[in-house]
Amino acid sequence: MSTEPLAGVAPPPERFNFAAHLLAANAGHPQRAAFVDDQGTLSYGQLDERVRRLAAGLRKAGIRREERVLVMMLDGNAWPVAFLGAMYAGAVPVAINTLLTADDVAYMLEHSRAQAVLVSGALLPTVSSAMVKADHEVERVIVAQPVAPLRAVPEPGSPLQAPEVDFDAFVEAAAPLARPAATAADDPGFWLYSSGSTGRPKGTVHSHANPYWTAELYGRQLLGLRADDVCFSAAKLFFAYGLGNALTFPLSVGATTLLMAERPTPDAVFRRWRGEVGNVKPTIFYGAPTGYAGMLAHPALPAQGEVALRLASSAGEALPAEIGQRFKAHFGVDIVDGIGSTEMLHIFLSNRPDAVRYGTTGWPVPGYAIELRGEDGGAVPDGEPGDLYIQGPSAALMYWGNRAKSRETFQGGWTKSGDKYVKNADGTYTYSGRSDDMLKVSGIYVSPFEVEATLVQHPAVLEAAVIGVADAEGLTKTKAFVVLKPGAQAGDAELKAFVKDKLAPYKYPRTIEFVPDLPKTATGKIQRFRLRELERAREAGGA
């Protein structure tokens, strides 16, 4: 089916540069605050100038149209300058997770063939190590807030050959680029990496038009963001969810964004809710269910009168109804829960500020169509679980260099999500699990295969199987069932530390149970569903 006229939103012109679009939309209020971080405020006028200067600097450095630029930066005022500056120049920023290991970054450098890296000083050691490991040469490393002196010229014999340049000096060295690159709406605009149940992360290629659609259809029309809003996202900018929350949505309406480099602990979030950073109080907060649960349980939870929230948003994992109800009872504000994906860029199925059905993920966002399909590809009746397919204008162009996965996920006008849902009688949808074994922990995908493969590298471990189990709040946490080699010994803490040392820290199993064997098929394949059934039986029996 066609999604035209896309809820009354005019499409972008054929010649379209998203960064230039945002700058032009805010040219009339150059003094208004665009971003506020721990270091200060970046006005819309300053953002315009710095974006165009960085774009000119990339051009001067020899970065050409559609060449990739890796962005591994902590959330701060330099991040939107880096991302939008690359897009303005016609380069393609590749925003990556700041928690990744050097091995992960090395793969992404090779896979994207990035010609430059924009990195926070605190993360430079990881990038430097990745560049040594990667079979790929980078032309330029641009460092924001360096924590040590930079190497203007590589040392003789150094495996890291790219010179390091201070971000601010790089920006100031070039005159603002007069005109944006003449990109088209369907040209590659940026990449985000999407995890899969097996194999390496997939480079998800989004067009210049895609963030325009999510900002218009969800940010402006459904959430009703306004120029007088102050947006604050616990989800970081390198996530598709955080990119919309803290950059594309607020800049599309001329609002202000509060950025935070540190982890979104309850204390860190509460300081900003109270206006203790930047002298601004957020009116819109974007989080994930695990974060909301932690905040509601915290003894320093602010009173309703201490905050200025008018709207709260949730995504990343299904929101338990009880968490939403407790939040509403305390703050007088609903949590608007929805589901999006890296492939669709942002939320396509959502509750609405004026219509919240806790325990469901709400209704299709206007401009998007939803289908639930069975194993035969046909539609399933209401009330029965089916695989979730989405049709909408923000679908990614492809997975870079992965035709098989691209064809499996992007099927004509439809995108296969990998989630299972049930359609309810009132038209809402309720989450019913994954189509594969992928887990979402604190809003971030974790592959059980990757954790299992790491556990079996420990000299004492024979086999391992990882599943998701629900905690007391109804939120998913990883649990590993481990079989030790005969005569070998290893403790819970030892194996957790082993995984943390080899993978991004958030991937370690929260619980480990040592078992004599694992349930398997006749061909030796681990039956994770048997382990999930065991956990459900224990929960039902109070074991």
Side-chain angles (χ1 to χ4, degrees), residues 10 38 74 78 86 93 106 118 131 248 263 286 300 329 345 348 359 395 404 453-454:
D38 293 352
L74 301 172
L118 293 146
M131 291 174 65
T248 65
R263 290 179 55 245
Y286 305 87
L345 188 56
F348 48 79
T454 302

Side-chain angles (χ1 to χ4, degrees), residues 255-379:
T256 298
T257 297
L258 182 60
L259 294 175
M260 178 176 72
E262 63 184 300
R263 290 179 55 245
T265 62
D267 284 330
V269 170
F270 296 161
R271 285 197 300 273
R272 288 158 178 84
W273 281 5
R274 294 190 181 101
E276 295 172 11
V277 177
N279 199 32
V280 292
K281 286 187 176 184
T283 59
I284 312 291
F285 177 71
Y286 305 87
T290 298
Y292 283 114
M295 290 186 289
L296 289 169
H298 199 279
L301 183 69
Q304 181 176 339
E306 294 182 82
V307 304
L309 298 177
R310 73 172 186 87
L311 180 67
S313 167
S314 180
E317 53 190 322
L319 178 74
E322 187 260 350
I323 291 177
Q325 291 159 354
R326 284 168 53 203
F327 191 90
K328 174 67 176 291
H330 185 87
F331 289 108
V333 174
D334 276 310
I335 299 177
V336 178
D337 184 35
I339 181 177
S341 68
T342 304
E343 290 74 11
M344 294 303 297
L345 188 56
H346 211 274
I347 291 172
F348 48 79
L349 183 63
S350 181
N351 284 270
R352 302 167 187 172
D354 60 349
V356 172
R357 301 286 189 273
Y358 285 124
T360 80
T361 314
W363 299 265
V365 172
Y368 293 85
I370 298 295
E371 283 190 3
L372 299 183
R373 303 178 186 175
E375 292 184 3
D376 62 356

Side-chain angles (χ1 to χ4, degrees), residues 72-94:
M72 188 177 184
M73 300 175 72
L74 301 172
D75 281 20
N77 290 347
W79 205 105
V81 173
F83 187 83
L84 295 175
M87 292 186 75
Y88 195 90
V92 178
V94 180

Side-chain angles (χ1 to χ4, degrees), residues 200-540:
R200 292 286 200 172
K202 302 180 291 292
T204 310
V205 182
H206 279 285
S207 71
H208 276 265
N210 285 3
Y212 168 85
W213 287 117
T214 59
E216 292 295 322
L217 295 175
Y218 194 72
R220 187 191 298 269
Q221 293 209 30
L222 193 141
L223 293 183
L225 298 187
R226 309 186 304 242
D228 61 348
D229 277 319
V230 176
C231 299
F232 175 40
S233 177
K236 300 301 185 182
L237 284 161
F238 60 77
F239 289 115
Y241 181 47
L243 181 65
N245 300 343
L247 197 157
T248 65
F249 291 6
L251 265 60
S252 290
V253 299
T256 298
T257 297
L258 182 60
L259 294 175
M260 178 176 72
E262 63 184 300
R263 290 179 55 245
T265 62
D267 284 330
V269 170
F270 296 161
R271 285 197 300 273
R272 288 158 178 84
W273 281 5
R274 294 190 181 101
E276 295 172 11
V277 177
N279 199 32
V280 292
K281 286 187 176 184
T283 59
I284 312 291
F285 177 71
Y286 305 87
T290 298
Y292 283 114
M295 290 186 289
L296 289 169
H298 199 279
L301 183 69
Q304 181 176 339
E306 294 182 82
V307 304
L309 298 177
R310 73 172 186 87
L311 180 67
S313 167
S314 180
E317 53 190 322
L319 178 74
E322 187 260 350
I323 291 177
Q325 291 159 354
R326 284 168 53 203
F327 191 90
K328 174 67 176 291
H330 185 87
F331 289 108
V333 174
D334 276 310
I335 299 177
V336 178
D337 184 35
I339 181 177
S341 68
T342 304
E343 290 74 11
M344 294 303 297
L345 188 56
H346 211 274
I347 291 172
F348 48 79
L349 183 63
S350 181
N351 284 270
R352 302 167 187 172
D354 60 349
V356 172
R357 301 286 189 273
Y358 285 124
T360 80
T361 314
W363 299 265
V365 172
Y368 293 85
I370 298 295
E371 283 190 3
L372 299 183
R373 303 178 186 175
E375 292 184 3
D376 62 356
V380 300
D382 290 0
E384 294 186 12
D387 292 317
L388 178 67
Y389 285 75
I390 314 101
Q391 184 184 69
S394 61
L397 300 174
M398 62 177 166
Y399 296 130
W400 180 264
N402 196 332
R403 187 180 184 190
K405 284 292 184 182
S406 294
R407 295 178 70 176
E408 179 183 324
T409 300
F410 307 109
Q411 302 179 12
W414 294 90
T415 300
K416 183 179 181 180
S417 72
D419 294 298
K420 287 185 178 291
Y421 264 82
V422 172
K423 186 177 182 181
N424 305 311
D426 63 354
T428 60
Y429 290 77
T430 299
Y431 181 66
S432 186
R434 287 285 299 173
S435 305
D436 53 26
D437 284 313
M438 288 293 288
L439 303 171
K440 263 202 171 178
V441 182
S442 300
I444 308 176
Y445 276 120
V446 175
S447 168
F449 304 96
E450 184 180 24
V451 181
E452 292 160 2
T454 302
L455 281 166
V456 298
Q457 293 176 36
H458 190 283
V461 175
L462 178 65
E463 294 179 310
V466 174
I467 65 169
V469 298
D471 65 9
E473 299 282 358
L475 300 168
T476 299
K477 298 291 182 283
T478 45
K479 178 174 182 176
F481 293 83
V482 172
V483 179
L484 296 177
K485 294 176 181 176
Q489 292 185 339
D492 177 284
E494 179 183 349
L495 292 185
K496 289 179 180 179
F498 183 80
V499 174
K500 285 183 180 180
D501 184 58
K502 292 185 174 294
L503 299 179
Y506 64 86
K507 296 181 181 180
Y508 83 94
R510 301 321 194 255
T511 307
I512 294 178
E513 180 177 339
F514 295 95
V515 294
D517 52 51
L518 297 173
K520 298 176 183 176
T521 66
T523 58
K525 183 178 180 181
I526 295 173
Q527 297 176 309
R528 292 182 187 82
F529 74 94
R530 297 289 186 198
L531 298 173
R532 290 191 285 266
E533 289 173 353
L534 173 64
E535 287 298 313
R536 285 194 290 269
R538 286 174 173 175
E539 184 179 349

Side-chain angles (χ1 to χ4, degrees), residues 124-145:
L124 182 57
T126 300
V127 168
S128 298
S129 179
M131 291 174 65
V132 172
K133 295 171 180 281
D135 184 19
H136 173 70
E137 292 185 7
V138 173
E139 296 295 326
R140 186 81 58 177
V141 177
I142 304 160
V143 186
Q145 295 183 313

